[in-house]
Amino acid sequence: MSRLNIVLVEPRIPQNTGNIARTCAVTGARLHLVRPMGFEPSDKELKRAGLDYWHFLDITYYDNLADFFAKTAGGEYFYFTTKGRHVYSDMTYPDNSYLVFGREDAGLPEQLLFKNPSRCLRMPMINDARSLNLSNSVAIGVYEVLRQWGFPELKNEGSLTKFDWNEAL
């Protein structure tokens, strides 16, 4: 089974993290949360945004960024940032990729980005726009990786509840 990892470094907004948790749950991606966070895991806004998908979620918490890197050594890290010099869709993502996203208000630490220039990825935007919403950015990144992998182990065809597609004209 292919493994995709989503990393949120010091997330601040529980609704964003809840939405991202739901994206991870429905795609089979693992969620990694790096403290300090701007909320507690029991926050009702976090749970509400994730709806009833929490039982599908594989989630790990880390005390800080150093703890995360120590416990995931050997992973392939890709840093999603407005400061990136490469377009996210131009990258090839191997199995066990870690898509790393920073705080909603500050992004990832610039020292980390500076040390990894070839892994700093940007989603194209107009000049005057600051950034996309974090949960939207994660969804775009997740589905690009899964598209490249051929959507492994995901249901690729839906069905109607009152009609049979096979009987359509």
Side-chain angles (χ1 to χ4, degrees), residues 3-164:
R3 182 53 99 186
L4 177 59
N5 299 277
I6 304 307
V7 183
L8 303 183
V9 178
E10 301 181 10
R12 292 288 179 248
I13 302 171
Q15 295 90 336
N16 276 340
T17 302
N19 290 337
I20 293 163
R22 185 172 178 171
T23 297
C24 289
V26 303
T27 60
R30 293 183 65 211
L31 180 59
H32 304 263
L33 296 178
V34 179
R35 292 183 176 101
M37 299 184 295
F39 53 88
E40 291 299 319
S42 60
D43 192 300
K44 68 179 182 179
E45 284 83 13
L46 173 71
K47 297 295 184 183
R48 183 178 304 128
L51 293 175
D52 57 348
Y53 290 85
W54 290 101
H55 65 286
F56 291 118
L57 194 59
D58 181 355
I59 188 168
T60 306
Y61 297 91
Y62 303 89
D63 291 332
N64 52 49
L65 205 48
D67 183 39
F68 165 75
F69 284 119
K71 291 178 178 171
T72 62
E76 296 251 12
Y77 307 106
F78 299 92
Y79 305 100
F80 283 71
T81 173
T82 58
K83 299 169 178 95
R85 298 177 67 196
H86 306 283
V87 176
Y88 77 100
S89 56
D90 291 341
M91 186 62 64
T92 300
Y93 301 91
D95 187 28
N96 203 35
S97 290
Y98 288 81
L99 308 187
V100 184
F101 298 84
R103 290 173 47 156
E104 291 94 336
D105 61 343
L108 291 166
E110 283 201 2
Q111 181 178 15
L112 175 66
L113 301 177
F114 184 74
K115 289 180 178 180
N116 298 282
S118 66
R119 300 288 179 124
C120 293
L121 308 176
R122 177 180 172 82
M123 293 174 184
M125 293 177 275
I126 63 171
N127 281 338
D128 295 330
R130 188 170 43 93
S131 66
L132 286 168
N133 173 274
L134 179 61
S135 62
N136 292 336
S137 297
V138 171
I140 290 168
V142 165
Y143 274 92
E144 172 59 20
V145 173
L146 295 174
R147 181 196 66 79
Q148 288 185 16
W149 293 354
F151 300 105
E153 300 183 35
L154 298 181
K155 182 179 177 183
N156 291 324
E157 184 178 303
S159 59
L160 300 172
T161 57
K162 297 179 181 172
F163 299 93
D164 183 349

